[in-house]
Amino acid sequence: MKADLLGINITFISYEELLNSIFKSDIKTVTYANQYVLNESFKNEKLRKSIQSFDLVHADGIGVQKALKRLYNRSAPRVNGSDLYYRFFEKLNEKLSSIFIYGSEKDVIDKAVKFIKNKYPKIIISGFIDGYEDVSDEKIIEEINRKSPEILFVATGTPNQEEWISKYKQIIKASKIIAIGGGLRVISGDRHRGPVFIRKAGLEWLVRLFEEPVRYFKRYVIGIPLFITRINKQKNIQRKILNEK
């Protein structure tokens, strides 16, 4: 099932369903929608159109899960990107898949590659380019296409990754292109996740805010109330439409 959330069609999907869907032949581009992404796309038409062009957009985080429940009165499986990527790598390891990674800082991508090689030795890392290297898009795509990986991970952050994938997906020679945002920082160990009870409560954002208050203040302290306000407005519009019928 798909549902509209602030102008983005999000698929209600569990971890297992998502992983199975990614490997379908007709799905090439995959991204996520969390509270921050939805806030950004709400005010950025180019980003919104880019996300809408993806084959699959899955919910990411408890905020989006609760928003879907409020708007559609239906429980949506909770999917957390930080947990998803480990499951994804496990599946890729089973399939002996080849991957290419584009994005994040050099030290982060170096640590992430080292972790993948140690933890998932059957995955073939065909190449990687950090997101801060002074290389043109044409050169990056040329390098990716030369390696022709099964999976291309793009971790350049919102809105860059969504707009970049939307723009170049037709000429990129990769079976699947997946936007993972800050996922590499988690995999590399650069981002702490907090204890399990914090994760289960959906409060990992508090850990990020505590560790990097300047970076995350606007995203969470301002962004969360703004997201709730926008969801409530969408709910009111839905009620008005129903009352007019």
Side-chain angles (χ1 to χ4, degrees):
M1 175 184 171
K2 289 186 178 182
D4 177 273
L5 203 59
L6 302 183
I8 300 296
N9 281 325
I10 298 176
T11 300
F12 284 74
I13 200 164
S14 67
Y15 284 112
E16 195 59 34
E17 290 169 335
L18 176 55
L19 290 173
N20 289 335
S21 295
I22 287 174
F23 288 98
K24 286 183 178 178
S25 59
D26 60 336
I27 290 179
K28 181 172 183 177
T29 54
V30 180
T31 192
Y32 58 89
N34 56 28
Q35 161 259 318
Y36 172 71
V37 170
L38 289 168
N39 270 342
E40 291 298 298
S41 66
F42 186 83
K43 63 184 182 181
N44 183 334
E45 184 178 5
K46 183 180 180 182
L47 172 60
R48 187 164 62 253
K49 288 182 176 179
S50 295
I51 295 173
Q52 288 170 337
S53 74
F54 276 68
D55 297 321
L56 193 154
V57 182
H58 67 85
D60 178 16
I62 195 169
V64 176
Q65 181 196 36
K66 289 183 177 295
L68 289 169
K69 174 69 174 178
R70 171 153 176 70
L71 291 173
Y72 300 99
N73 196 30
R74 177 172 173 175
S75 296
R78 183 178 167 192
V79 174
N80 185 300
S82 298
D83 294 319
L84 171 64
Y85 303 128
Y86 291 110
R87 299 185 186 211
F88 193 50
F89 283 122
E90 287 174 6
K91 200 171 188 72
L92 292 175
N93 195 55
E94 293 172 4
K95 292 178 172 289
L96 283 74
S97 302
S98 64
I99 67 172
F100 193 106
I101 304 172
Y102 166 48
S104 202
E105 300 92 336
K106 186 180 187 307
D107 63 327
V108 171
I109 199 169
D110 286 344
K111 286 187 285 187
V113 167
K114 183 178 180 180
F115 173 81
I116 294 168
K117 285 181 176 179
N118 290 335
K119 183 74 173 179
Y120 311 102
K122 294 180 182 178
I123 294 177
I124 301 166
I125 301 177
S126 57
F128 55 91
I129 300 174
D130 73 75
Y132 292 84
E133 194 169 338
D134 187 17
V135 180
S136 67
D137 286 342
E138 290 74 16
K139 289 292 184 181
I140 292 169
I141 293 169
E142 181 182 320
E143 178 65 10
I144 293 168
N145 288 348
R146 189 171 67 84
K147 300 295 180 63
S148 295
E150 294 174 62
I151 312 289
L152 168 63
F153 289 109
V154 182
T156 54
T158 299
N160 294 334
Q161 62 188 14
E162 293 87 357
E163 293 174 4
W164 190 88
I165 292 171
S166 179
K167 183 177 180 180
Y168 295 116
K169 62 182 179 179
Q170 299 297 338
I171 62 173
I172 291 175
K173 294 178 181 178
S175 299
K176 314 290 176 182
I177 307 173
I178 302 176
I180 62 172
L184 282 186
R185 295 187 68 197
V186 175
I187 295 163
S188 70
D190 191 61
R191 174 183 290 168
H192 298 114
R193 299 195 58 198
V196 174
F197 76 91
I198 289 287
R199 302 180 203 175
K200 288 184 176 180
L203 296 174
E204 277 194 86
W205 62 272
L206 277 176
V207 177
R208 297 177 189 175
L209 180 62
F210 179 77
E211 290 189 340
E212 300 181 78
V214 175
R215 178 175 183 174
Y216 289 112
F217 181 86
K218 184 177 179 181
R219 179 178 298 197
Y220 296 126
V221 177
I222 297 174
I224 291 176
L226 183 60
F227 179 67
I228 293 170
T229 299
R230 287 168 171 166
I231 292 301
N232 286 336
K233 285 183 178 179
Q234 183 173 339
K235 183 66 177 179
N236 290 335
I237 292 171
Q238 287 178 340
R239 286 172 177 162
K240 184 177 180 180
I241 292 172
L242 285 173
N243 291 335
E244 290 175 350
K245 287 184 178 180

